[in-house]
Amino acid sequence: MSEAGLPCDQTPGGGGVAGYTVIDLETTGLFPAKHDRVVEVGVVYLSEDGEIEGEWSTLVNPGRDVGPTHIHGVTAREVLGAPRSPSWPRT
């Protein structure tokens, strides 16, 4: 199992991880330099055949207004008890 609790099955013969992972982020906007932040993270692990093998998601408290709820569907009330958004290093 991965740190996120998703299966990490190896292909026969040790050829690497079978399948793939899809990651979805919902954000307060499109510009991190303007203090936009993540409000939700979703991860789905798929088999080589595209079948869902596992999934995980969490809301994230951005520490600011949640932005366009009509786009991402996440409300300020929903993120109040969620983990706080980390301060990502700027490059």
Side-chain angles (χ1 to χ4, degrees):
M1 294 291 249
S2 70
E3 289 181 27
L6 301 176
C8 290
D9 297 332
Q10 296 291 316
T11 57
V17 176
Y20 54 97
T21 301
V22 178
I23 301 170
D24 178 44
L25 299 175
E26 298 297 338
T27 64
T28 62
L30 301 175
F31 305 102
K34 294 185 178 182
H35 306 290
D36 285 326
R37 300 286 181 260
V38 172
V39 294
E40 186 173 21
V41 179
V43 180
V44 177
Y45 176 74
L46 301 164
S47 70
E48 289 178 327
D49 299 324
E51 298 295 321
I52 294 174
E53 298 285 327
E55 55 189 330
W56 174 85
S57 67
T58 187
L59 292 171
V60 178
N61 184 335
R64 54 152 285 173
D65 179 69
V66 295
T69 296
H70 69 283
I71 293 174
H72 53 59
V74 178
T75 67
R77 181 176 299 226
E78 291 175 308
V79 301
L80 282 176
R84 295 280 303 199
S85 176
S87 296
W88 299 104
R90 302 279 182 240
T91 57

